[in-house]
mmCIF file of all heavy atoms in Angstrom:
data_model
loop_
_atom_site.group_PDB
_atom_site.id
_atom_site.type_symbol
_atom_site.label_atom_id
_atom_site.label_comp_id
_atom_site.label_asym_id
_atom_site.label_seq_id
_atom_site.Cartn_x
_atom_site.Cartn_y
_atom_site.Cartn_z
ATOM 1 N N TYR A 31 1.037 8.968 -9.805
ATOM 2 C CA TYR A 31 1.487 9.149 -8.368
ATOM 3 C C TYR A 31 2.684 10.165 -8.325
ATOM 4 O O TYR A 31 3.507 10.078 -9.185
ATOM 5 C CB TYR A 31 1.983 7.883 -7.793
ATOM 6 C CG TYR A 31 0.892 6.803 -7.468
ATOM 7 C CD1 TYR A 31 0.245 6.190 -8.524
ATOM 8 C CD2 TYR A 31 0.516 6.590 -6.211
ATOM 9 C CE1 TYR A 31 -0.745 5.282 -8.254
ATOM 10 C CE2 TYR A 31 -0.577 5.676 -5.975
ATOM 11 C CZ TYR A 31 -1.135 5.023 -6.943
ATOM 12 O OH TYR A 31 -2.225 4.146 -6.695
ATOM 13 N N TYR A 33 5.295 12.383 -5.287
ATOM 14 C CA TYR A 33 5.754 12.273 -4.004
ATOM 15 C C TYR A 33 6.655 13.427 -3.599
ATOM 16 O O TYR A 33 7.414 13.927 -4.522
ATOM 17 C CB TYR A 33 6.589 10.991 -3.726
ATOM 18 C CG TYR A 33 5.920 9.690 -4.180
ATOM 19 C CD1 TYR A 33 5.993 9.330 -5.506
ATOM 20 C CD2 TYR A 33 5.252 8.877 -3.358
ATOM 21 C CE1 TYR A 33 5.403 8.119 -5.968
ATOM 22 C CE2 TYR A 33 4.647 7.645 -3.741
ATOM 23 C CZ TYR A 33 4.737 7.363 -5.114
ATOM 24 O OH TYR A 33 4.217 6.185 -5.523
ATOM 25 N N TYR A 35 9.814 14.078 -0.897
ATOM 26 C CA TYR A 35 10.693 13.705 0.125
ATOM 27 C C TYR A 35 11.564 14.823 0.570
ATOM 28 O O TYR A 35 11.882 15.725 -0.182
ATOM 29 C CB TYR A 35 11.479 12.493 -0.387
ATOM 30 C CG TYR A 35 10.942 11.229 -0.842
ATOM 31 C CD1 TYR A 35 10.437 11.162 -2.166
ATOM 32 C CD2 TYR A 35 10.659 10.248 0.105
ATOM 33 C CE1 TYR A 35 9.924 9.942 -2.545
ATOM 34 C CE2 TYR A 35 10.167 8.965 -0.432
ATOM 35 C CZ TYR A 35 9.636 8.925 -1.696
ATOM 36 O OH TYR A 35 9.111 7.802 -2.065
ATOM 37 N N GLN A 37 15.592 15.049 2.238
ATOM 38 C CA GLN A 37 16.788 14.167 2.562
ATOM 39 C C GLN A 37 17.721 14.970 3.454
ATOM 40 O O GLN A 37 18.059 16.045 3.173
ATOM 41 C CB GLN A 37 17.492 13.829 1.217
ATOM 42 C CG GLN A 37 18.763 12.997 1.457
ATOM 43 C CD GLN A 37 19.471 12.721 0.145
ATOM 44 O OE1 GLN A 37 19.531 13.499 -0.801
ATOM 45 N NE2 GLN A 37 19.967 11.465 0.003
ATOM 46 N N GLY A 40 22.382 11.402 7.130
ATOM 47 C CA GLY A 40 22.300 10.280 8.022
ATOM 48 C C GLY A 40 20.871 9.698 8.182
ATOM 49 O O GLY A 40 20.601 8.896 8.984
ATOM 50 N N MET A 41 19.944 10.310 7.444
ATOM 51 C CA MET A 41 18.558 9.840 7.663
ATOM 52 C C MET A 41 17.893 9.338 6.409
ATOM 53 O O MET A 41 16.672 9.074 6.373
ATOM 54 C CB MET A 41 17.758 11.062 8.203
ATOM 55 C CG MET A 41 18.243 11.583 9.566
ATOM 56 S SD MET A 41 17.224 12.721 10.413
ATOM 57 C CE MET A 41 15.938 11.467 11.011
ATOM 58 N N GLY A 42 18.626 9.312 5.337
ATOM 59 C CA GLY A 42 17.985 8.826 4.059
ATOM 60 C C GLY A 42 16.855 9.820 3.621
ATOM 61 O O GLY A 42 16.902 10.972 3.939
ATOM 62 N N LEU A 43 15.998 9.195 2.842
ATOM 63 C CA LEU A 43 14.842 10.042 2.370
ATOM 64 C C LEU A 43 13.575 9.700 3.181
ATOM 65 O O LEU A 43 13.309 8.594 3.382
ATOM 66 C CB LEU A 43 14.518 9.706 0.924
ATOM 67 C CG LEU A 43 15.320 10.369 -0.113
ATOM 68 C CD1 LEU A 43 16.739 9.670 -0.247
ATOM 69 C CD2 LEU A 43 14.630 10.318 -1.487
ATOM 70 N N LEU A 45 9.402 10.544 3.500
ATOM 71 C CA LEU A 45 8.310 10.964 2.738
ATOM 72 C C LEU A 45 7.532 12.035 3.500
ATOM 73 O O LEU A 45 7.141 11.960 4.631
ATOM 74 C CB LEU A 45 7.388 9.650 2.394
ATOM 75 C CG LEU A 45 6.226 9.960 1.529
ATOM 76 C CD1 LEU A 45 6.638 10.427 0.102
ATOM 77 C CD2 LEU A 45 5.331 8.794 1.535
ATOM 78 N N TYR A 48 2.287 12.759 -0.304
ATOM 79 C CA TYR A 48 2.260 12.166 -1.682
ATOM 80 C C TYR A 48 0.823 12.227 -2.245
ATOM 81 O O TYR A 48 -0.093 12.704 -1.474
ATOM 82 C CB TYR A 48 2.627 10.630 -1.640
ATOM 83 C CG TYR A 48 1.676 9.811 -0.768
ATOM 84 C CD1 TYR A 48 0.911 8.916 -1.427
ATOM 85 C CD2 TYR A 48 1.817 9.662 0.629
ATOM 86 C CE1 TYR A 48 0.018 8.094 -0.766
ATOM 87 C CE2 TYR A 48 1.032 8.858 1.308
ATOM 88 C CZ TYR A 48 0.144 8.002 0.563
ATOM 89 O OH TYR A 48 -0.673 7.218 1.315
ATOM 90 N N PHE A 90 13.187 16.435 -2.597
ATOM 91 C CA PHE A 90 13.156 15.608 -3.810
ATOM 92 C C PHE A 90 11.673 15.373 -4.090
ATOM 93 O O PHE A 90 10.941 14.895 -3.237
ATOM 94 C CB PHE A 90 13.859 14.368 -3.796
ATOM 95 C CG PHE A 90 15.450 14.478 -3.859
ATOM 96 C CD1 PHE A 90 16.211 14.500 -2.684
ATOM 97 C CD2 PHE A 90 16.053 14.735 -5.026
ATOM 98 C CE1 PHE A 90 17.546 14.665 -2.763
ATOM 99 C CE2 PHE A 90 17.413 14.866 -5.033
ATOM 100 C CZ PHE A 90 18.162 14.858 -3.940
ATOM 101 N N THR A 96 1.582 3.730 -11.065
ATOM 102 C CA THR A 96 1.225 2.510 -10.415
ATOM 103 C C THR A 96 0.009 1.914 -10.964
ATOM 104 O O THR A 96 -1.049 2.569 -10.994
ATOM 105 C CB THR A 96 1.014 2.724 -8.874
ATOM 106 O OG1 THR A 96 2.286 3.251 -8.408
ATOM 107 C CG2 THR A 96 0.719 1.433 -8.155
ATOM 108 N N GLY A 98 -2.569 -1.327 -10.862
ATOM 109 C CA GLY A 98 -2.966 -2.409 -10.132
ATOM 110 C C GLY A 98 -2.260 -2.555 -8.803
ATOM 111 O O GLY A 98 -2.179 -1.645 -8.050
ATOM 112 N N ARG A 99 -1.726 -3.661 -8.558
ATOM 113 C CA ARG A 99 -1.004 -3.974 -7.245
ATOM 114 C C ARG A 99 0.424 -3.806 -7.403
ATOM 115 O O ARG A 99 1.163 -4.122 -6.421
ATOM 116 C CB ARG A 99 -1.494 -5.336 -6.756
ATOM 117 C CG ARG A 99 -2.898 -5.520 -6.593
ATOM 118 C CD ARG A 99 -3.233 -6.934 -6.113
ATOM 119 N NE ARG A 99 -3.003 -7.063 -4.647
ATOM 120 C CZ ARG A 99 -3.777 -6.746 -3.761
ATOM 121 N NH1 ARG A 99 -4.940 -6.270 -4.076
ATOM 122 N NH2 ARG A 99 -3.526 -6.927 -2.471
ATOM 123 N N LEU A 100 0.995 -3.404 -8.561
ATOM 124 C CA LEU A 100 2.394 -3.328 -8.661
ATOM 125 C C LEU A 100 2.905 -1.931 -8.188
ATOM 126 O O LEU A 100 2.351 -0.918 -8.548
ATOM 127 C CB LEU A 100 2.720 -3.593 -10.117
ATOM 128 C CG LEU A 100 2.431 -4.997 -10.659
ATOM 129 C CD1 LEU A 100 2.867 -5.028 -12.130
ATOM 130 C CD2 LEU A 100 3.176 -6.056 -9.821
ATOM 131 N N GLN A 101 4.053 -2.001 -7.499
ATOM 132 C CA GLN A 101 4.760 -0.882 -7.174
ATOM 133 C C GLN A 101 5.677 -0.529 -8.334
ATOM 134 O O GLN A 101 6.775 -1.210 -8.472
ATOM 135 C CB GLN A 101 5.437 -1.018 -5.913
ATOM 136 C CG GLN A 101 6.405 0.109 -5.454
ATOM 137 C CD GLN A 101 5.762 1.301 -5.169
ATOM 138 O OE1 GLN A 101 5.326 2.205 -5.990
ATOM 139 N NE2 GLN A 101 5.414 1.537 -3.864
ATOM 140 N N GLU A 102 5.414 0.466 -9.125
ATOM 141 C CA GLU A 102 6.349 0.802 -10.119
ATOM 142 C C GLU A 102 7.442 1.694 -9.698
ATOM 143 O O GLU A 102 7.497 2.264 -8.606
ATOM 144 C CB GLU A 102 5.515 1.439 -11.247
ATOM 145 C CG GLU A 102 4.601 0.671 -12.023
ATOM 146 C CD GLU A 102 5.149 -0.413 -12.817
ATOM 147 O OE1 GLU A 102 6.341 -0.171 -13.242
ATOM 148 O OE2 GLU A 102 4.547 -1.429 -12.989
ATOM 149 N N THR A 103 8.381 1.820 -10.616
ATOM 150 C CA THR A 103 9.630 2.560 -10.367
ATOM 151 C C THR A 103 9.249 4.019 -10.091
ATOM 152 O O THR A 103 8.401 4.619 -10.786
ATOM 153 C CB THR A 103 10.580 2.590 -11.597
ATOM 154 O OG1 THR A 103 10.862 1.241 -11.766
ATOM 155 C CG2 THR A 103 11.808 3.346 -11.272
ATOM 156 N N GLN A 104 9.833 4.615 -9.084
ATOM 157 C CA GLN A 104 9.777 6.084 -8.824
ATOM 158 C C GLN A 104 10.862 6.794 -9.531
ATOM 159 O O GLN A 104 12.063 6.413 -9.455
ATOM 160 C CB GLN A 104 9.822 6.433 -7.310
ATOM 161 C CG GLN A 104 8.536 5.902 -6.598
ATOM 162 C CD GLN A 104 8.410 6.391 -5.202
ATOM 163 O OE1 GLN A 104 9.141 7.369 -4.791
ATOM 164 N NE2 GLN A 104 7.570 5.829 -4.404
ATOM 165 N N PHE A 106 12.951 10.330 -10.029
ATOM 166 C CA PHE A 106 13.162 11.408 -9.138
ATOM 167 C C PHE A 106 13.560 12.602 -9.928
ATOM 168 O O PHE A 106 14.281 12.445 -11.008
ATOM 169 C CB PHE A 106 14.263 11.072 -8.150
ATOM 170 C CG PHE A 106 13.922 10.150 -7.036
ATOM 171 C CD1 PHE A 106 13.682 8.898 -7.246
ATOM 172 C CD2 PHE A 106 13.505 10.753 -5.785
ATOM 173 C CE1 PHE A 106 13.176 8.081 -6.165
ATOM 174 C CE2 PHE A 106 13.074 9.943 -4.834
ATOM 175 C CZ PHE A 106 12.842 8.586 -4.873
ATOM 176 N N GLY A 107 13.223 13.870 -9.373
ATOM 177 C CA GLY A 107 13.777 15.065 -9.857
ATOM 178 C C GLY A 107 15.180 15.382 -9.239
ATOM 179 O O GLY A 107 15.727 14.546 -8.505
ATOM 180 N N PRO A 108 15.843 16.425 -9.755
ATOM 181 C CA PRO A 108 17.196 16.691 -9.324
ATOM 182 C C PRO A 108 17.361 17.270 -7.908
ATOM 183 O O PRO A 108 18.466 17.360 -7.398
ATOM 184 C CB PRO A 108 17.640 17.751 -10.360
ATOM 185 C CG PRO A 108 16.387 18.386 -10.756
ATOM 186 C CD PRO A 108 15.332 17.367 -10.710
ATOM 187 N N TYR B 32 8.250 -5.392 -1.989
ATOM 188 C CA TYR B 32 8.889 -5.043 -3.279
ATOM 189 C C TYR B 32 10.125 -4.217 -2.824
ATOM 190 O O TYR B 32 10.154 -3.438 -1.916
ATOM 191 C CB TYR B 32 8.063 -4.053 -4.014
ATOM 192 C CG TYR B 32 6.699 -4.642 -4.393
ATOM 193 C CD1 TYR B 32 5.546 -3.896 -4.607
ATOM 194 C CD2 TYR B 32 6.618 -6.041 -4.812
ATOM 195 C CE1 TYR B 32 4.368 -4.419 -5.041
ATOM 196 C CE2 TYR B 32 5.443 -6.535 -5.255
ATOM 197 C CZ TYR B 32 4.404 -5.734 -5.306
ATOM 198 O OH TYR B 32 3.096 -6.348 -5.787
ATOM 199 N N PHE B 34 13.982 -2.377 -3.798
ATOM 200 C CA PHE B 34 14.684 -1.484 -4.785
ATOM 201 C C PHE B 34 16.054 -1.084 -4.280
ATOM 202 O O PHE B 34 16.271 -0.967 -3.146
ATOM 203 C CB PHE B 34 13.860 -0.256 -4.959
ATOM 204 C CG PHE B 34 12.424 -0.480 -5.324
ATOM 205 C CD1 PHE B 34 11.501 -0.730 -4.408
ATOM 206 C CD2 PHE B 34 11.939 -0.257 -6.689
ATOM 207 C CE1 PHE B 34 10.155 -0.902 -4.815
ATOM 208 C CE2 PHE B 34 10.636 -0.429 -7.019
ATOM 209 C CZ PHE B 34 9.799 -0.685 -6.084
ATOM 210 N N TYR B 36 18.529 2.134 -5.277
ATOM 211 C CA TYR B 36 18.724 3.419 -6.065
ATOM 212 C C TYR B 36 20.118 3.870 -5.802
ATOM 213 O O TYR B 36 20.668 3.623 -4.703
ATOM 214 C CB TYR B 36 17.752 4.494 -5.541
ATOM 215 C CG TYR B 36 16.298 4.357 -6.077
ATOM 216 C CD1 TYR B 36 15.436 3.597 -5.444
ATOM 217 C CD2 TYR B 36 15.914 5.111 -7.221
ATOM 218 C CE1 TYR B 36 14.061 3.431 -5.823
ATOM 219 C CE2 TYR B 36 14.516 5.039 -7.598
ATOM 220 C CZ TYR B 36 13.700 4.152 -7.027
ATOM 221 O OH TYR B 36 12.441 4.003 -7.394
ATOM 222 N N GLN B 38 22.581 7.506 -5.978
ATOM 223 C CA GLN B 38 22.528 8.989 -5.982
ATOM 224 C C GLN B 38 23.967 9.567 -6.180
ATOM 225 O O GLN B 38 24.850 9.244 -5.298
ATOM 226 C CB GLN B 38 21.897 9.592 -4.768
ATOM 227 C CG GLN B 38 21.834 11.053 -4.756
ATOM 228 C CD GLN B 38 21.174 11.660 -3.535
ATOM 229 O OE1 GLN B 38 21.420 11.123 -2.514
ATOM 230 N NE2 GLN B 38 20.497 12.736 -3.647
ATOM 231 N N GLY B 41 25.077 15.595 -5.916
ATOM 232 C CA GLY B 41 24.302 16.707 -6.467
ATOM 233 C C GLY B 41 23.173 16.357 -7.415
ATOM 234 O O GLY B 41 22.588 17.193 -8.056
ATOM 235 N N GLN B 42 22.951 15.040 -7.504
ATOM 236 C CA GLN B 42 21.895 14.534 -8.424
ATOM 237 C C GLN B 42 20.786 13.891 -7.687
ATOM 238 O O GLN B 42 20.832 13.705 -6.442
ATOM 239 C CB GLN B 42 22.517 13.493 -9.269
ATOM 240 C CG GLN B 42 23.794 13.959 -10.036
ATOM 241 C CD GLN B 42 23.351 15.023 -11.091
ATOM 242 O OE1 GLN B 42 22.408 14.874 -11.761
ATOM 243 N NE2 GLN B 42 24.203 16.121 -11.090
ATOM 244 N N GLY B 43 19.712 13.626 -8.421
ATOM 245 C CA GLY B 43 18.534 12.922 -7.879
ATOM 246 C C GLY B 43 18.957 11.434 -7.867
ATOM 247 O O GLY B 43 19.963 11.011 -8.190
ATOM 248 N N LEU B 44 17.810 10.603 -7.480
ATOM 249 C CA LEU B 44 18.026 9.225 -7.395
ATOM 250 C C LEU B 44 17.780 8.566 -8.702
ATOM 251 O O LEU B 44 16.815 8.886 -9.330
ATOM 252 C CB LEU B 44 17.258 8.608 -6.187
ATOM 253 C CG LEU B 44 17.788 8.650 -4.804
ATOM 254 C CD1 LEU B 44 17.747 10.169 -4.231
ATOM 255 C CD2 LEU B 44 17.026 7.816 -3.910
ATOM 256 N N LEU B 46 17.175 4.565 -10.335
ATOM 257 C CA LEU B 46 16.870 3.150 -9.985
ATOM 258 C C LEU B 46 17.963 2.243 -10.697
ATOM 259 O O LEU B 46 18.298 2.392 -11.834
ATOM 260 C CB LEU B 46 15.546 2.678 -10.635
ATOM 261 C CG LEU B 46 15.170 1.291 -10.361
ATOM 262 C CD1 LEU B 46 14.819 1.149 -8.898
ATOM 263 C CD2 LEU B 46 13.963 0.848 -11.222
ATOM 264 N N LYS B 49 15.168 -3.692 -9.264
ATOM 265 C CA LYS B 49 14.047 -3.859 -8.333
ATOM 266 C C LYS B 49 13.701 -5.360 -8.341
ATOM 267 O O LYS B 49 13.889 -6.035 -9.322
ATOM 268 C CB LYS B 49 12.911 -2.961 -8.823
ATOM 269 C CG LYS B 49 12.422 -3.287 -10.225
ATOM 270 C CD LYS B 49 11.413 -2.242 -10.620
ATOM 271 C CE LYS B 49 10.992 -2.519 -12.136
ATOM 272 N NZ LYS B 49 9.972 -1.461 -12.550
ATOM 273 N N PHE B 51 10.300 -7.754 -7.534
ATOM 274 C CA PHE B 51 8.904 -7.813 -7.251
ATOM 275 C C PHE B 51 8.539 -9.333 -6.847
ATOM 276 O O PHE B 51 7.875 -9.572 -5.810
ATOM 277 C CB PHE B 51 7.964 -7.434 -8.454
ATOM 278 C CG PHE B 51 7.952 -5.951 -8.631
ATOM 279 C CD1 PHE B 51 7.387 -5.366 -9.795
ATOM 280 C CD2 PHE B 51 8.517 -5.010 -7.719
ATOM 281 C CE1 PHE B 51 7.442 -4.065 -9.939
ATOM 282 C CE2 PHE B 51 8.431 -3.692 -7.948
ATOM 283 C CZ PHE B 51 7.886 -3.216 -8.968
ATOM 284 N N PHE B 90 21.068 3.688 -1.938
ATOM 285 C CA PHE B 90 19.874 3.551 -1.053
ATOM 286 C C PHE B 90 18.989 2.218 -1.403
ATOM 287 O O PHE B 90 18.802 1.959 -2.583
ATOM 288 C CB PHE B 90 18.983 4.720 -1.248
ATOM 289 C CG PHE B 90 19.566 6.025 -0.660
ATOM 290 C CD1 PHE B 90 20.247 6.881 -1.540
ATOM 291 C CD2 PHE B 90 19.488 6.364 0.557
ATOM 292 C CE1 PHE B 90 20.837 8.058 -1.168
ATOM 293 C CE2 PHE B 90 19.965 7.541 1.153
ATOM 294 C CZ PHE B 90 20.711 8.427 0.261
ATOM 295 N N GLY B 94 9.031 -1.434 -0.656
ATOM 296 C CA GLY B 94 7.590 -0.962 -0.966
ATOM 297 C C GLY B 94 6.673 -1.972 -0.441
ATOM 298 O O GLY B 94 6.876 -3.171 -0.459
ATOM 299 N N SER B 96 3.370 -4.257 -0.538
ATOM 300 C CA SER B 96 2.690 -4.962 -1.710
ATOM 301 C C SER B 96 1.200 -4.839 -1.658
ATOM 302 O O SER B 96 0.514 -5.264 -2.594
ATOM 303 C CB SER B 96 2.989 -6.449 -1.721
ATOM 304 O OG SER B 96 2.761 -7.017 -0.509
ATOM 305 N N ASN B 97 0.656 -4.085 -0.697
ATOM 306 C CA ASN B 97 -0.863 -4.000 -0.797
ATOM 307 C C ASN B 97 -1.341 -2.764 -1.338
ATOM 308 O O ASN B 97 -0.722 -1.738 -1.205
ATOM 309 C CB ASN B 97 -1.374 -4.039 0.712
ATOM 310 C CG ASN B 97 -0.725 -2.888 1.565
ATOM 311 O OD1 ASN B 97 0.520 -2.914 1.666
ATOM 312 N ND2 ASN B 97 -1.627 -2.155 2.305
ATOM 313 N N PHE B 98 -2.247 -2.905 -2.264
ATOM 314 C CA PHE B 98 -2.761 -1.776 -3.055
ATOM 315 C C PHE B 98 -3.217 -0.685 -2.028
ATOM 316 O O PHE B 98 -3.908 -1.015 -1.093
ATOM 317 C CB PHE B 98 -3.819 -2.230 -3.949
ATOM 318 C CG PHE B 98 -4.321 -1.175 -4.887
ATOM 319 C CD1 PHE B 98 -3.426 -0.650 -5.815
ATOM 320 C CD2 PHE B 98 -5.599 -0.546 -4.862
ATOM 321 C CE1 PHE B 98 -3.827 0.332 -6.770
ATOM 322 C CE2 PHE B 98 -5.986 0.431 -5.663
ATOM 323 C CZ PHE B 98 -5.156 0.881 -6.664
ATOM 324 N N GLU B 101 1.333 2.584 -1.578
ATOM 325 C CA GLU B 101 2.424 2.370 -2.553
ATOM 326 C C GLU B 101 3.614 3.276 -2.202
ATOM 327 O O GLU B 101 4.368 3.735 -3.005
ATOM 328 C CB GLU B 101 1.951 2.847 -3.884
ATOM 329 C CG GLU B 101 0.888 1.970 -4.607
ATOM 330 C CD GLU B 101 -0.510 2.189 -4.192
ATOM 331 O OE1 GLU B 101 -0.726 3.033 -3.318
ATOM 332 O OE2 GLU B 101 -1.445 1.551 -4.615
ATOM 333 N N LYS B 102 3.730 3.506 -0.835
ATOM 334 C CA LYS B 102 4.847 4.344 -0.430
ATOM 335 C C LYS B 102 6.173 3.486 -0.395
ATOM 336 O O LYS B 102 6.161 2.190 -0.101
ATOM 337 C CB LYS B 102 4.637 4.906 0.983
ATOM 338 C CG LYS B 102 3.375 5.819 0.960
ATOM 339 C CD LYS B 102 3.056 6.521 2.342
ATOM 340 C CE LYS B 102 2.907 5.556 3.495
ATOM 341 N NZ LYS B 102 1.523 5.003 3.341
ATOM 342 N N LEU B 103 7.273 4.116 -0.589
ATOM 343 C CA LEU B 103 8.512 3.543 -0.418
ATOM 344 C C LEU B 103 9.110 3.994 0.889
ATOM 345 O O LEU B 103 8.982 5.088 1.285
ATOM 346 C CB LEU B 103 9.558 3.897 -1.538
ATOM 347 C CG LEU B 103 9.368 3.238 -2.854
ATOM 348 C CD1 LEU B 103 10.335 3.721 -3.787
ATOM 349 C CD2 LEU B 103 9.330 1.729 -2.761
ATOM 350 N N PHE B 105 12.865 4.174 2.658
ATOM 351 C CA PHE B 105 14.244 4.171 2.184
ATOM 352 C C PHE B 105 15.117 3.852 3.402
ATOM 353 O O PHE B 105 14.804 4.287 4.557
ATOM 354 C CB PHE B 105 14.734 5.468 1.576
ATOM 355 C CG PHE B 105 14.162 5.741 0.291
ATOM 356 C CD1 PHE B 105 12.954 6.152 0.011
ATOM 357 C CD2 PHE B 105 15.001 5.454 -0.845
ATOM 358 C CE1 PHE B 105 12.469 6.424 -1.241
ATOM 359 C CE2 PHE B 105 14.491 5.554 -2.106
ATOM 360 C CZ PHE B 105 13.230 6.038 -2.338
ATOM 361 N N GLY B 106 16.275 3.215 3.145
ATOM 362 C CA GLY B 106 17.326 3.095 4.229
ATOM 363 C C GLY B 106 18.054 4.472 4.319
ATOM 364 O O GLY B 106 17.881 5.385 3.529
ATOM 365 N N THR B 107 19.025 4.424 5.149
ATOM 366 C CA THR B 107 19.798 5.764 5.406
ATOM 367 C C THR B 107 20.911 5.938 4.406
ATOM 368 O O THR B 107 21.608 6.869 4.432
ATOM 369 C CB THR B 107 20.286 5.756 6.849
ATOM 370 O OG1 THR B 107 21.018 4.571 7.108
ATOM 371 C CG2 THR B 107 19.179 5.890 7.897
#
Side-chain angles (χ1 to χ4, degrees):
Chain A
Y31 291 72
Y33 312 81
Y35 294 91
Q37 183 180 33
M41 303 192 74
L43 277 78
L45 183 64
Y48 66 103
F90 287 99
T96 299
R99 303 179 75 84
L100 293 179
Q101 172 69 272
E102 291 292 333
T103 300
Q104 291 190 16
F106 284 80
Chain B
Y32 296 151
F34 305 79
Y36 282 85
Q38 183 181 31
Q42 304 295 316
L44 278 72
L46 180 72
K49 59 186 177 184
F51 286 170
F90 292 93
S96 55
N97 54 308
F98 188 65
E101 291 84 358
K102 302 187 293 288
L103 285 183
F105 285 83
T107 52

